[in-house]
Amino acid sequence: MADIGKLLWPKSVAVVGASSDTHGLRGRLFEIIRSHPFAGQIFPVSRSASEVQGLKAYPSVEMLPQPVDLALLIVPAAYVPEELERCGRAGITAAVIFSSGFAEEGDTGTRMQQAIAATARRYDMAVIGPNTEGFTNIAAALCANFSPASDPSAGPLTPVRALGRGQVSVISQSGGLGFAFLDRARPRNLKFRYIVTTGNEAVLEASDFIAYMLDEGATDVFLLLIETVKTPEKFKRVAEEALKAGKPLIVGKIGQSEPGRRAVASHTAALAGSAAAYRAVFERYGVIEGRDFDEMLDLAAGFLACGDRLPAGRRVGICTASGGAGIWMADACAAAGLDVPELDMETRAALDIHLPSFATSQNPVDSTAQGVQKLGYAQFARLVARSPSVDGVIVVITARRSAFLEADLPKLKDLARESAKPVLMWTYTLPSERTVELLNEAAYPLFTTAHGCAGTMRALADYRKTRNHLLRSVEAAKPHEIGRTKVAAMLADAPAVLCEYRARPLLSAYGIGSGETGQLARSADEAVAAALSITKPVALKVQSADIAHKTEADAVVLNVAGADAVRAAYDRVVAAARRYSPAAQIDGVLVQPMAPPGREIIVGVNRDPTWGLLLMVGLGGVLVDALADVALAPVPLDDTAACSLIGCLKGAQIFGPYRGMPPADIGALADLMVRLSQFATDYADGIDAIDLNPVIVHGEGAGVSVVDALILKCDPVKEDRGAVA
């Protein structure tokens, strides 16, 4: 592995293509590097100038007076492969390639980008880019970029009074947006360590820098701006390491809309994956999505200030001196999925002593201006935080004037140091610069929007829950009845498409739909015999690898009883299948007992081109496409993850008591999902998709019925047999 440390912490730097013209990027790059107190040596390399901005220039890296650690290449794209080769021969072990015009511009650019990667491998070089804006190592005062945000006139790289004790690092595939985080965070006094923009990621990708920074241990919060993940398994590995270490990854995933995906392809020649699939993976590993700069910086501020004091749940206590602002915050909390419960009587009694008669202690605690003037924000927050009814506290303040907070500062510091629960602050007036400094000094994040504050509290609670779940061991479901080796052999011998009668024996080995196999009939007489052996109304369904959607073919007949009716149903199913697809190979008709009624859903597994196999649960069974209410998660899942995924459905309330129906058997549904996820995991190399649709969830204690099943195998020359429902 190339040494990223030599890239981010060089002792000497060569700027290849340096210029004295500070109106152009080549001159700006050199000027910005020299404008900060980087302790290492800087050498300009120029073919056309003997001096650059007052320093002696050298015609080539091979002519430098000493070996250097890092080369910054800002030359036309056509010359980059040759220049990188020279760097390798000169013993330079790291490079940043600013030039654009590579894989984002077609075949010729792609070949040049491949040449860059080959050279980097040959010389074991750590390379950022191409098509990057560079990086900043703030601790080393090295601004190897041409961003206006790095200009000394834009402000200091490190705040005088930083929020909390931690540091933020930015890793962004977009150059301009990466440095914008630093610029936008300046008024909030966040302390940054690195800003790295990775561009096309010909060699090093975002995950490599996350891994390096986790090992280094100096970054506490990561802000990521990504268009696509180059190596999914590497990303999942570092995301899991970050979650275990309690170092949150806050991600802005761009390219989720159709116009956005087109822009991604033209910008970095990368395909943006399914937004739902990315979200599923993010949720599994505690990666927190942000929708814009402000939201991501709100989240970073919350984590920096709270450290390991994360809320144990979603219950929030609100303190306010303004009744209207308190109601507004309560509404924002509800919108964020937080609970604002009425406080316990003991806490209310302790509060009421200090409140005027026209105030209220129920929650939100409206102390009124008189109450706050008497006791201060800190003491009200302390009393609310003691309540067993809440997991965190939001204090609503006016931060325009700093005098009152100045007087309350010692108590605020004591509260931040002593409280085991997080305390966040929202100001409904614009804050003064002094107020921000005071609150940062006391280790409080200050939010200027109610939704940003509430959303951060929700993210803190969810992160703790996800991290605790990951740290617990997960016991996987095991196959039974027949061994895994036998299932693998059966799957290997099966055709590319396993319709229901072929899929069920494999799934039954994992306890999936074991009692609903049915019998395959190849004639009307066999169908009658099968139905008579079942002794209750039956369903008849065509079995053909060429007819994935039996209901669309009208090749299903339900609730059939009696020999004559079964015989007629058999003929009807076969005739409908022939009409729908005259060339289809029909293996027979499956005769099964009718399942009792219940809630119809779909449970399936599909292979995402980026993330691999994801389990899906959705409402509606055969109507799933119309309802579009589905949730995804990477396989495998345990019971907790399965129940959580069910709860993500917009219509999850139908699993409770609903229109006279008893609560659904959520435990049985979760168990089915766990078993299916383990089946998919065990045979991941051979499976492209699994479709259990519909699955009927019965009343509590009555289990689930798998009504239909389909498995598609991975096949490099797979025929187009239609999508799985």
Side-chain angles (χ1 to χ4, degrees), residues 373-429:
Q373 289 292 330
K374 173 185 174 183
L375 203 63
Y377 289 119
Q379 190 58 21
F380 275 115
R382 183 186 295 276
L383 291 172
V384 173
R386 288 175 179 168
S387 171
S389 303
V390 303
D391 304 300
V393 177
I394 293 175
V395 183
V396 180
I397 69 172
T398 172
R400 171 56 73 183
R401 295 180 65 249
S402 61
F404 183 74
L405 287 167
E406 197 106 41
D408 209 23
L409 187 60
K411 293 180 180 178
L412 286 168
K413 286 183 175 180
D414 289 344
L415 175 62
R417 185 170 53 253
E418 297 166 8
S419 176
K421 298 175 183 178
V423 178
L424 309 184
M425 294 201 173
W426 169 54
T427 175
Y428 53 86
T429 57

Coordinates of all heavy atoms in Angstrom, one line a residue, residues 373-429:
Q373 N -34.5 35.0 33.6 CA -33.8 36.1 34.2 C -33.5 35.7 35.7 O -32.4 36.0 36.2 CB -34.6 37.4 34.2 CG -34.6 38.0 32.8 CD -33.3 38.5 32.3 OE1 -32.4 38.9 33.1 NE2 -33.1 38.5 31.0
K374 N -34.4 35.0 36.3 CA -34.2 34.6 37.7 C -33.2 33.5 37.9 O -32.4 33.5 38.8 CB -35.6 34.2 38.3 CG -35.5 33.7 39.7 CD -36.9 33.2 40.1 CE -36.9 32.5 41.5 NZ -38.2 32.0 41.9
L375 N -33.3 32.5 37.1 CA -32.6 31.2 37.3 C -31.4 31.0 36.3 O -30.4 30.4 36.6 CB -33.5 30.0 37.3 CG -33.0 28.8 38.1 CD1 -32.8 29.1 39.6 CD2 -34.0 27.7 37.9
G376 N -31.6 31.5 35.1 CA -30.6 31.2 34.0 C -31.0 30.0 33.2 O -31.7 29.1 33.6
Y377 N -30.4 30.0 32.0 CA -30.7 28.9 31.1 C -30.1 27.6 31.6 O -30.7 26.5 31.5 CB -30.0 29.1 29.7 CG -30.7 30.2 28.9 CD1 -30.0 31.3 28.5 CD2 -32.0 30.0 28.4 CE1 -30.6 32.3 27.7 CE2 -32.6 31.0 27.6 CZ -31.9 32.1 27.2 OH -32.5 33.1 26.5
A378 N -28.9 27.7 32.2 CA -28.2 26.4 32.6 C -29.0 25.7 33.7 O -29.1 24.4 33.6 CB -26.8 26.8 33.1
Q379 N -29.5 26.4 34.7 CA -30.2 25.7 35.8 C -31.5 25.0 35.3 O -31.8 23.9 35.7 CB -30.5 26.7 36.9 CG -31.0 26.0 38.2 CD -30.0 24.9 38.7 OE1 -28.8 24.9 38.4 NE2 -30.5 24.0 39.5
F380 N -32.2 25.7 34.4 CA -33.4 25.1 33.9 C -33.1 23.8 33.1 O -33.7 22.8 33.2 CB -34.2 26.1 33.0 CG -35.2 26.9 33.8 CD1 -35.0 28.3 33.9 CD2 -36.2 26.4 34.5 CE1 -35.8 29.1 34.6 CE2 -37.1 27.2 35.3 CZ -36.9 28.6 35.3
A381 N -32.0 23.9 32.3 CA -31.6 22.7 31.5 C -31.2 21.6 32.4 O -31.4 20.4 32.1 CB -30.5 23.1 30.6
R382 N -30.5 21.9 33.5 CA -30.0 20.9 34.4 C -31.2 20.2 35.1 O -31.2 18.9 35.2 CB -29.2 21.6 35.5 CG -28.6 20.6 36.5 CD -27.9 21.3 37.6 NE -26.7 22.0 37.2 CZ -25.5 21.5 37.0 NH1 -25.3 20.2 37.2 NH2 -24.5 22.2 36.6
L383 N -32.2 20.9 35.5 CA -33.4 20.3 36.1 C -34.1 19.4 35.1 O -34.6 18.3 35.5 CB -34.3 21.4 36.6 CG -33.8 22.2 37.8 CD1 -34.7 23.4 38.1 CD2 -33.7 21.3 39.1
V384 N -34.2 19.8 33.9 CA -34.9 19.0 32.9 C -34.1 17.8 32.5 O -34.6 16.7 32.4 CB -35.2 19.8 31.6 CG1 -35.7 18.9 30.5 CG2 -36.2 21.0 31.9
A385 N -32.8 17.9 32.5 CA -31.9 16.8 32.1 C -32.0 15.7 33.2 O -31.7 14.5 32.9 CB -30.5 17.3 32.0
R386 N -32.3 16.1 34.4 CA -32.4 15.1 35.5 C -33.6 14.2 35.3 O -33.7 13.1 36.0 CB -32.4 15.8 36.8 CG -31.1 16.4 37.3 CD -31.3 17.2 38.6 NE -30.0 17.7 39.0 CZ -29.9 18.6 40.0 NH1 -31.0 19.1 40.6 NH2 -28.7 19.1 40.3
S387 N -34.6 14.6 34.5 CA -35.8 13.8 34.4 C -35.5 12.5 33.8 O -34.9 12.4 32.7 CB -36.8 14.6 33.6 OG -37.9 13.8 33.3
P388 N -36.1 11.4 34.3 CA -36.0 10.1 33.7 C -36.8 9.9 32.4 O -36.7 9.0 31.7 CB -36.5 9.1 34.8 CG -37.4 9.9 35.6 CD -36.8 11.3 35.6
S389 N -37.6 11.0 32.1 CA -38.5 10.9 31.0 C -37.8 11.4 29.7 O -38.4 11.3 28.6 CB -39.7 11.8 31.2 OG -40.4 11.5 32.4
V390 N -36.6 11.9 29.8 CA -36.0 12.5 28.6 C -34.6 11.9 28.4 O -33.9 11.5 29.4 CB -35.9 14.0 28.6 CG1 -37.3 14.6 28.7 CG2 -35.0 14.5 29.7
D391 N -34.1 11.9 27.2 CA -32.7 11.4 26.9 C -31.8 12.5 26.5 O -30.6 12.3 26.4 CB -32.8 10.4 25.7 CG -33.8 9.2 26.0 OD1 -33.5 8.5 27.0 OD2 -34.7 9.1 25.3
G392 N -32.3 13.7 26.2 CA -31.5 14.8 25.8 C -32.4 16.1 26.0 O -33.6 16.1 26.2
V393 N -31.7 17.3 25.9 CA -32.3 18.5 26.2 C -32.0 19.5 25.1 O -30.9 19.6 24.6 CB -31.9 19.1 27.6 CG1 -32.5 20.5 27.8 CG2 -32.2 18.2 28.7
I394 N -33.0 20.2 24.7 CA -32.8 21.4 23.7 C -33.2 22.6 24.4 O -34.3 22.7 25.0 CB -33.7 21.2 22.5 CG1 -33.1 20.0 21.6 CG2 -33.6 22.4 21.6 CD1 -34.0 19.6 20.4
V395 N -32.3 23.6 24.5 CA -32.6 24.9 25.1 C -32.8 25.9 24.0 O -31.9 26.1 23.1 CB -31.4 25.3 26.0 CG1 -31.7 26.6 26.7 CG2 -31.1 24.2 27.0
V396 N -33.9 26.6 24.1 CA -34.3 27.6 23.1 C -33.9 29.0 23.7 O -34.3 29.3 24.8 CB -35.8 27.6 22.8 CG1 -36.1 28.7 21.8 CG2 -36.2 26.2 22.3
I397 N -33.0 29.7 23.0 CA -32.5 31.0 23.5 C -32.6 32.1 22.5 O -32.9 31.8 21.3 CB -31.0 30.8 24.0 CG1 -30.1 30.6 22.7 CG2 -30.8 29.7 24.9 CD1 -28.6 30.6 23.1
T398 N -32.3 33.3 22.9 CA -32.1 34.4 22.0 C -30.6 34.7 22.1 O -30.1 35.1 23.2 CB -33.0 35.6 22.3 OG1 -32.5 36.7 21.4 CG2 -32.9 36.0 23.7
A399 N -29.9 34.6 21.1 CA -28.4 34.7 21.1 C -27.9 36.0 20.6 O -26.7 36.2 20.3 CB -27.7 33.6 20.4
R400 N -28.9 37.0 20.4 CA -28.5 38.3 19.8 C -27.6 39.0 20.8 O -26.6 39.6 20.4 CB -29.7 39.1 19.4 CG -29.5 40.5 19.0 CD -28.5 40.6 17.9 NE -29.0 40.2 16.6 CZ -28.3 40.2 15.5 NH1 -27.1 40.5 15.5 NH2 -28.9 39.8 14.4
R401 N -28.0 39.1 22.1 CA -27.2 39.7 23.1 C -26.4 38.7 23.9 O -27.0 37.7 24.3 CB -28.1 40.6 24.0 CG -28.8 41.7 23.3 CD -29.6 42.6 24.2 NE -28.8 43.2 25.3 CZ -28.9 42.9 26.6 NH1 -29.6 41.9 27.0 NH2 -28.1 43.6 27.4
S402 N -25.2 39.0 24.1 CA -24.3 38.0 24.8 C -24.2 38.3 26.3 O -23.7 37.4 27.0 CB -22.9 38.1 24.2 OG -22.3 39.4 24.4
A403 N -24.7 39.4 26.8 CA -24.5 39.8 28.2 C -25.1 38.7 29.2 O -24.4 38.3 30.2 CB -25.1 41.1 28.5
F404 N -26.3 38.3 28.9 CA -26.9 37.3 29.8 C -26.2 36.0 29.8 O -25.9 35.4 30.9 CB -28.4 37.1 29.5 CG -29.1 36.2 30.4 CD1 -29.5 36.6 31.7 CD2 -29.4 34.9 30.0 CE1 -30.1 35.7 32.5 CE2 -30.1 34.0 30.9 CZ -30.4 34.5 32.1
L405 N -25.8 35.5 28.7 CA -25.0 34.3 28.6 C -23.7 34.4 29.2 O -23.1 33.4 29.7 CB -24.9 33.8 27.1 CG -26.2 33.3 26.5 CD1 -26.1 33.2 25.0 CD2 -26.6 31.9 27.1
E406 N -23.1 35.6 29.1 CA -21.8 35.8 29.7 C -21.9 35.6 31.2 O -21.0 34.9 31.9 CB -21.4 37.3 29.5 CG -19.9 37.5 29.7 CD -19.1 37.7 28.4 OE1 -19.6 38.3 27.5 OE2 -18.0 37.1 28.4
A407 N -23.0 36.1 31.9 CA -23.2 35.9 33.3 C -23.5 34.4 33.6 O -23.1 33.9 34.7 CB -24.3 36.8 33.8
D408 N -24.1 33.7 32.7 CA -24.5 32.3 32.9 C -23.4 31.3 32.6 O -23.6 30.1 32.8 CB -25.8 32.0 32.1 CG -26.7 30.9 32.7 OD1 -26.6 30.7 34.0 OD2 -27.4 30.3 32.0
L409 N -22.3 31.8 32.0 CA -21.3 31.0 31.5 C -20.7 29.9 32.5 O -20.6 28.8 32.1 CB -20.1 31.8 30.9 CG -19.0 31.1 30.1 CD1 -19.6 30.3 28.9 CD2 -18.0 32.0 29.6
P410 N -20.3 30.3 33.7 CA -19.8 29.3 34.6 C -20.8 28.1 34.8 O -20.3 27.0 34.9 CB -19.6 30.1 35.9 CG -19.4 31.5 35.5 CD -20.3 31.7 34.3
K411 N -22.1 28.4 35.0 CA -23.0 27.4 35.2 C -23.2 26.5 33.9 O -23.4 25.3 34.0 CB -24.4 28.0 35.6 CG -24.3 28.6 37.0 CD -25.7 29.1 37.4 CE -25.7 29.8 38.8 NZ -27.0 30.4 39.1
L412 N -23.1 27.2 32.8 CA -23.2 26.4 31.5 C -22.1 25.5 31.4 O -22.2 24.3 30.9 CB -23.3 27.4 30.3 CG -24.6 28.2 30.1 CD1 -24.4 29.3 29.1 CD2 -25.7 27.2 29.7
K413 N -20.9 25.9 31.7 CA -19.7 25.1 31.7 C -19.8 23.9 32.6 O -19.5 22.7 32.3 CB -18.4 25.9 32.0 CG -18.0 26.8 30.9 CD -16.7 27.5 31.4 CE -16.1 28.4 30.2 NZ -14.9 29.1 30.6
D414 N -20.3 24.1 33.8 CA -20.5 23.1 34.8 C -21.5 22.0 34.2 O -21.3 20.8 34.3 CB -21.0 23.6 36.1 CG -20.0 24.4 36.9 OD1 -18.8 24.2 36.5 OD2 -20.4 25.2 37.8
L415 N -22.6 22.5 33.6 CA -23.6 21.6 33.1 C -23.0 20.8 31.9 O -23.3 19.5 31.9 CB -24.8 22.4 32.6 CG -25.9 21.6 31.8 CD1 -26.5 20.6 32.8 CD2 -27.0 22.6 31.3
A416 N -22.3 21.4 31.0 CA -21.7 20.6 29.9 C -20.7 19.6 30.4 O -20.6 18.5 29.9 CB -21.0 21.6 29.0
R417 N -20.0 19.9 31.5 CA -19.0 18.9 32.1 C -19.7 17.8 32.9 O -19.2 16.7 32.8 CB -18.1 19.7 33.0 CG -16.9 18.9 33.5 CD -15.9 19.8 34.2 NE -16.5 20.6 35.2 CZ -16.6 21.9 35.1 NH1 -16.3 22.5 34.0 NH2 -17.2 22.6 36.1
E418 N -20.8 18.1 33.5 CA -21.4 17.1 34.4 C -22.6 16.3 33.9 O -22.8 15.2 34.3 CB -21.9 17.9 35.7 CG -20.8 18.5 36.5 CD -21.3 19.6 37.5 OE1 -22.5 19.6 37.7 OE2 -20.5 20.3 38.1
S419 N -23.3 16.9 32.9 CA -24.5 16.2 32.4 C -24.1 15.0 31.6 O -23.3 15.0 30.7 CB -25.3 17.1 31.6 OG -26.5 16.4 31.0
A420 N -24.8 13.9 31.8 CA -24.6 12.6 31.0 C -25.4 12.7 29.8 O -25.3 11.8 28.9 CB -24.9 11.4 31.9
K421 N -26.3 13.6 29.7 CA -27.2 13.8 28.5 C -26.8 15.0 27.7 O -26.4 16.0 28.2 CB -28.7 13.9 29.0 CG -29.2 12.7 29.8 CD -30.6 12.9 30.3 CE -31.0 11.8 31.2 NZ -32.4 12.0 31.8
P422 N -26.9 14.9 26.4 CA -26.6 16.0 25.5 C -27.5 17.2 25.7 O -28.7 17.0 25.9 CB -26.6 15.4 24.1 CG -27.6 14.3 24.2 CD -27.5 13.7 25.6
V423 N -26.9 18.4 25.6 CA -27.7 19.6 25.7 C -27.4 20.4 24.4 O -26.2 20.8 24.2 CB -27.4 20.4 26.9 CG1 -28.2 21.7 26.9 CG2 -27.7 19.6 28.2
L424 N -28.4 20.6 23.6 CA -28.2 21.4 22.3 C -28.9 22.8 22.5 O -29.9 22.9 23.3 CB -28.8 20.7 21.1 CG -28.3 19.2 20.9 CD1 -28.9 18.7 19.6 CD2 -26.8 19.1 20.9
M425 N -28.5 23.8 21.8 CA -29.1 25.1 21.9 C -29.5 25.6 20.5 O -28.7 25.5 19.5 CB -28.1 26.1 22.5 CG -27.8 25.7 24.0 SD -27.2 27.2 24.8 CE -27.1 26.5 26.5
W426 N -30.7 26.1 20.4 CA -31.3 26.8 19.2 C -31.6 28.2 19.5 O -32.3 28.5 20.5 CB -32.5 26.0 18.7 CG -33.2 26.8 17.7 CD1 -32.7 27.3 16.5 CD2 -34.6 27.2 17.6 NE1 -33.6 27.9 15.7 CE2 -34.8 27.9 16.4 CE3 -35.7 27.1 18.5 CZ2 -36.1 28.5 16.1 CZ3 -36.9 27.6 18.2 CH2 -37.1 28.3 17.0
T427 N -31.1 29.1 18.7 CA -31.4 30.5 18.8 C -32.4 30.9 17.8 O -32.2 30.6 16.6 CB -30.2 31.4 18.8 OG1 -30.6 32.8 18.8 CG2 -29.4 31.2 17.5
Y428 N -33.5 31.6 18.2 CA -34.5 32.1 17.3 C -34.2 33.5 16.7 O -34.9 34.0 15.8 CB -35.9 32.0 17.9 CG -36.1 32.7 19.2 CD1 -36.4 34.1 19.3 CD2 -36.0 32.0 20.4 CE1 -36.6 34.7 20.5 CE2 -36.1 32.6 21.6 CZ -36.4 34.0 21.6 OH -36.6 34.6 22.9
T429 N -33.2 34.1 17.3 CA -32.6 35.3 16.7 C -31.3 35.0 16.1 O -30.6 34.0 16.6 CB -32.5 36.5 17.7 OG1 -31.7 36.0 18.8 CG2 -33.9 36.9 18.3

